[in-house]
Amino acid sequence: MTDIATRTWDGMTIPVAGTYLLDQAHKRIGFLSRHMMVSPVRGEFAEATAQIFVAEDPLLSSVTATIMSASITTGSADRDTHLKSADFLDVERFPTLEYRSTGIKWRGTEDPIFQWARLRNHRLGGRGRSHTAPPQSEGVPGRFVLTGELTVKGITRAVDLEVNFGGARRDPYGQNIFGFSASAEMNREDYGLIWNVVLESGGVLVGKTVQIEIAGEAIYQA
């Protein structure tokens, strides 16, 4: 345990350099797809691990993650059984999904809508009153793009995660932690997940685009 829980980088409070592990009690590795072309279905993988190396230069940091494919859950036992089958994840042959980062890009801390307003000298609010974008607050998270490679069923493709850094601090138990959320989109057919049913009314039963939804905390390792 380091004596200093955080440091300042580019005006933002970030964790000290070192190795962090995903907190199993505070994580969600989720996804969203569409059913019958109209309704969203959410699910998640209940079992996953991740190691995050925070470098002295934050933009040299890296992430590796392993997701247990058989831990998929969507709230429907029949659907989960189908997703675990050879039609989809084939969990008997491919027990894990893997992610490895390849780089990090810094997007800043400002909300994009306020940045656009400043660039265009836009009047927010209208009605004859001039408004300027509010100053950045400490609650605005830092925004990064984590470039990386996702492996599903032995097929590896590039997947870039849009990451919001939520903050760093020492928790009541004396652990150095930081929080984050991340999102991305992937085409499941790129990974050989091609099963589908064509609907008589047009379209398909299962959407091809999958939205990835991740949230969690990471704990410093002594």
Side-chain angles (χ1 to χ4, degrees), residues 86-104:
D87 283 344
F88 286 97
L89 294 175
D90 198 357
V91 301
E92 295 295 328
R93 294 181 59 207
F94 303 98
T96 64
L97 293 75
E98 307 285 340
Y99 186 80
R100 179 183 68 87
S101 69
T102 56
I104 299 178

Side-chain angles (χ1 to χ4, degrees), residues 21-28 46-50 66 217-219:
L21 296 183
L22 182 65
D23 183 359
Q24 294 300 304
H26 299 94
K27 75 176 189 308
R28 181 176 186 272
E47 299 177 20
T49 61
T66 298
E217 292 180 6
I219 304 175

Side-chain angles (χ1 to χ4, degrees), residues 1 8 59 68 77 84 89 102 115 122 127 134 142 146 171 174 177 191 222:
M1 175 66 66
T8 300
L59 298 184
M68 305 307 295
K84 295 175 187 179
L89 294 175
T102 56
Q115 184 180 48
H122 187 66
R127 297 188 181 276
L146 186 68
D171 72 10
I177 66 170
Y191 297 90

Side-chain angles (χ1 to χ4, degrees), residues 192-203:
L193 308 176
I194 60 175
W195 184 93
N196 225 326
V197 174
V198 177
L199 303 175
E200 291 184 5
S201 57

Side-chain angles (χ1 to χ4, degrees), residues 7 52-63 101 103-104 146:
R7 55 186 168 139
I52 304 168
F53 173 68
V54 178
E56 289 292 342
D57 178 351
L59 298 184
L60 297 178
S61 301
S62 60
V63 178
S101 69
I104 299 178
L146 186 68

Side-chain angles (χ1 to χ4, degrees), residues 14-148:
I14 66 170
V16 295
T19 299
Y20 294 74
L21 296 183
L22 182 65
D23 183 359
Q24 294 300 304
H26 299 94
K27 75 176 189 308
R28 181 176 186 272
I29 312 299
F31 59 88
L32 180 150
S33 187
R34 289 200 170 271
H35 178 253
M36 300 285 289
M37 307 294 292
V38 295
S39 61
V41 173
R42 275 191 162 85
E44 65 179 279
F45 292 91
E47 299 177 20
T49 61
Q51 177 173 288
I52 304 168
F53 173 68
V54 178
E56 289 292 342
D57 178 351
L59 298 184
L60 297 178
S61 301
S62 60
V63 178
T64 57
T66 298
I67 300 167
M68 305 307 295
S69 56
S71 72
I72 191 170
T73 176
T74 64
S76 167
D78 289 343
R79 181 166 55 218
D80 293 348
T81 297
H82 192 193
L83 290 172
K84 295 175 187 179
S85 74
D87 283 344
F88 286 97
L89 294 175
D90 198 357
V91 301
E92 295 295 328
R93 294 181 59 207
F94 303 98
T96 64
L97 293 75
E98 307 285 340
Y99 186 80
R100 179 183 68 87
S101 69
T102 56
I104 299 178
K105 301 174 184 177
W106 170 232
R107 286 222 192 274
T109 57
E110 187 171 49
D111 190 309
I113 192 170
F114 294 134
Q115 184 180 48
W116 175 85
R118 286 196 177 95
L119 290 174
R120 295 295 301 269
N121 194 26
H122 187 66
R123 289 174 175 247
L124 299 178
R127 297 188 181 276
R129 294 167 54 192
S130 176
H131 297 265
T132 59
Q136 174 188 317
S137 70
E138 294 183 0
V140 176
R143 297 163 53 246
F144 299 84
V145 174
L146 186 68
T147 61

